[in-house]
Amino acid sequence: AHSGYGFPIGGVAAFDVEKGVISPGGIGFDINCGMRLVTTNLTYKEVKPHLKPLVDLLFKRVPAGVGCKGFVKVDKTIFRKIMQDGAGWCVENGYGWDQDLKNIEDNGCIANADATKVSERALLRGMDQLGTLGSGNHYLEIQYAGEIFDEKIAEKLGIVEDQICVMVHCGSRGFGHQIGTDYLKIFLDVMPKYGITILDQELACAPFNSKEGQDYYQAMACAANMAFANRQVITHQIRKTFEKVLGKSAQEMGMKLIYDVAHNIAKLEKYTIDGKEKTLLVHRKGSTRAFGPRHADQLPKDYATVGQPVILGGSMETGSYLLVGTNDADDETFASTAHGAGRTMSRAKAKYLWRGDQLQKDMEKRGIYVHGVTMAGLAEEAGKAYKDIEVVVDSLEAAKITRRVVALKPIGNVKG
């Protein structure tokens, strides 16, 4: 049960664009925190002897933790361009392949981004964070494809049993947080003007078609684009690391981006309401888009008949899932599904129950090598601090909003 008045994690709310509102609390403060999955043509057996050097070098090359800084140095002018162009800027500047862009939600760039709607403080917080994981539940994980549940779809997505994949979970870092904070304050000031009253400050909002509402939407798009760029730069570092450790090119190793999907975002999408097609502003907070084949025109050509890949993060001990969206999700949840297993307890309780160093040793005995920033941070992310991923996936399938394709099992993890 959800207590309090703010938006819950996993909350989905769709508003009429003419009469509805936009709310930072309904999007989340880590704007476009999202998931990305890269496959390889390597097997578990081939990678296992190189696991420790791979994880240790990834830890060096993809900075993690609070306040970490990225290796891509940009000035204000370039950072404003990144806000506008997203992952496209990265590919243009050598941090990725052209084909990456077609396998990113919105091709890695949300339209209507306007850098002039972003405060100087947000800009300064964001410009040195490109290529960083951050902290908390953010991670970079080496996995192998365990059980395959739908061979036809897995084949379409290019996944076979025992194949090595790399999953990344991170967002817009302090940049998105600052934009959320800035506009929450603005909305609290202007709500009386629009006759809006709320039960909790976290629900601060403004009419979507008001000046303030549009300003926030355009600033949010800037943060979303920075997050796409952040995950793109991290992908570049993953490819370079595999090349260094394994002595082959990323192309030879088939390091293809399967998909990159956002959560913590508001999107303009069309749905049939009372028999009429309407454009709605869909807020997804800790929730992932799950388009079925009905939305073929908005999916990569390879996936048009199977639905959108959905990357569902579990825990560093239990693994994750690759799912696909369904047409049923349109009618039930505004084409949305869960973004991860979700916690069962607070971080403080997890730290009380487990010791990070002991957890690290136990996991290594089970064939999972973890390199974390702090031992306390590791304890917070213990597998038992999260819901059982199998139960979550069963529920999503029973509700017919996603279909399971493959279970991904962890073998190496860089923790923020």
Side-chain angles (χ1 to χ4, degrees):
H2 175 59
S3 59
Y5 297 112
F7 267 82
I9 291 170
V12 177
F15 295 103
D16 182 287
V17 288
E18 300 303 321
K19 300 173 191 161
V21 296
I22 187 166
S23 169
I27 287 162
F29 283 74
D30 188 0
I31 296 165
N32 187 6
C33 185
M35 309 289 290
R36 178 174 275 231
L37 184 68
V38 176
T39 55
T40 72
N41 56 24
L42 305 166
T43 62
Y44 176 60
K45 200 175 163 186
E46 285 174 287
V47 168
K48 200 167 186 327
H50 306 283
L51 188 62
K52 210 164 186 286
L54 263 176
V55 172
D56 290 341
L57 190 55
L58 282 168
F59 184 85
K60 271 188 195 162
R61 290 189 168 183
V62 183
V66 179
C68 60
K69 293 183 178 184
F71 79 101
V72 181
K73 302 295 174 226
V74 297
D75 60 20
K76 289 182 186 180
T77 307
I78 293 173
F79 191 59
R80 286 190 187 99
K81 193 155 174 45
I82 291 165
M83 290 183 214
Q84 307 278 157
D85 298 347
W89 179 90
C90 304
V91 171
E92 266 174 46
N93 287 276
Y95 302 110
W97 306 340
D98 286 344
Q99 70 246 45
D100 291 343
L101 299 178
K102 70 178 171 58
N103 287 353
I104 306 175
E105 184 173 336
D106 286 307
N107 302 119
C109 180
I110 308 279
N112 302 317
D114 183 346
T116 66
K117 310 300 183 190
V118 172
S119 71
E120 182 78 0
R121 188 166 179 203
L123 185 141
L124 292 172
R125 277 189 75 179
M127 63 188 273
D128 61 358
Q129 294 186 323
L130 211 58
T132 61
L133 274 180
S135 59
N137 63 347
H138 294 153
Y139 61 84
L140 190 169
E141 188 168 88
I142 300 174
Q143 310 164 327
Y144 69 93
E147 194 177 349
I148 290 181
F149 295 90
D150 192 316
E151 281 189 17
K152 266 190 183 161
I153 295 179
E155 194 185 325
K156 248 324 196 225
L157 300 176
I159 293 182
V160 293
E161 211 168 306
D162 228 28
Q163 177 180 19
I164 290 292
C165 304
V166 186
M167 186 179 282
V168 177
H169 176 213
C170 66
S172 52
R173 308 277 282 108
F175 182 55
H177 278 269
Q178 191 60 51
I179 287 170
T181 304
D182 290 343
Y183 279 93
L184 194 77
K185 285 179 187 151
I186 291 167
F187 286 4
L188 285 168
D189 288 344
V190 302
M191 281 190 307
K193 178 172 87 175
Y194 296 115
I196 298 170
T197 53
I198 52 168
L199 293 165
D200 186 272
Q201 289 203 341
E202 287 285 316
L203 292 173
C205 57
F208 180 60
N209 59 12
S210 67
K211 185 196 179 297
E212 296 84 1
Q214 284 298 302
D215 285 355
Y216 170 61
Y217 179 66
Q218 291 166 338
M220 180 212 71
C222 289
N225 289 342
M226 181 273 184
F228 284 135
N230 189 22
R231 293 194 289 275
Q232 185 61 42
V233 165
I234 288 170
T235 301
H236 172 78
Q237 292 294 75
I238 292 166
R239 285 171 175 152
K240 291 285 161 213
T241 300
F242 269 71
E243 286 178 342
K244 176 110 177 109
V245 174
L246 293 162
K248 294 183 194 175
S249 75
Q251 277 91 349
E252 278 178 278
M253 291 182 279
M255 299 190 77
K256 178 195 171 192
L257 173 59
I258 289 288
Y259 208 60
D260 177 312
V261 69
H263 38 260
N264 288 9
I265 201 161
K267 303 287 289 290
L268 289 167
E269 293 167 1
K270 288 186 168 75
Y271 294 94
T272 302
I273 309 291
D274 300 329
K276 286 182 186 165
E277 191 177 69
K278 292 190 84 163
T279 299
L280 303 175
L281 182 71
V282 183
H283 290 60
R284 295 188 178 100
K285 179 184 180 180
S287 168
T288 292
R289 194 184 75 177
F291 278 168
R294 187 184 291 163
H295 295 271
D297 61 323
Q298 289 173 71
L299 295 175
K301 205 166 68 221
D302 299 349
Y303 309 155
T305 57
V306 298
Q308 176 210 301
V310 171
I311 304 156
L312 189 86
S315 77
M316 62 185 182
E317 293 190 67
T318 58
S320 303
Y321 266 88
L322 180 63
L323 318 165
V324 286
T326 66
N327 288 334
D328 286 331
D330 268 26
D331 308 317
E332 297 296 325
T333 59
F334 297 109
S336 307
T337 191
H339 83 299
R343 297 187 72 89
T344 57
M345 65 180 73
S346 70
R347 294 183 178 280
K349 188 175 178 185
K351 278 193 286 194
Y352 174 74
L353 290 175
W354 294 285
R355 281 183 50 146
D357 54 352
Q358 194 54 53
L359 190 63
Q360 190 179 38
K361 282 177 195 148
D362 291 347
M363 285 175 69
E364 200 155 354
K365 278 180 199 155
R366 284 181 277 137
I368 307 167
Y369 176 59
V370 186
H371 195 147
V373 175
T374 66
M375 286 300 153
L378 221 53
E380 289 175 2
E381 293 297 303
K384 289 188 177 117
Y386 284 85
K387 292 175 198 146
D388 181 343
I389 185 86
E390 304 297 331
V391 175
V392 174
V393 172
D394 284 346
S395 309
L396 299 175
E397 242 182 4
K400 296 185 176 172
I401 54 176
T402 42
R403 289 170 63 188
R404 74 179 90 202
V405 180
V406 60
L408 297 157
K409 301 295 177 190
I411 55 168
N413 194 302
V414 172
K415 279 305 294 181

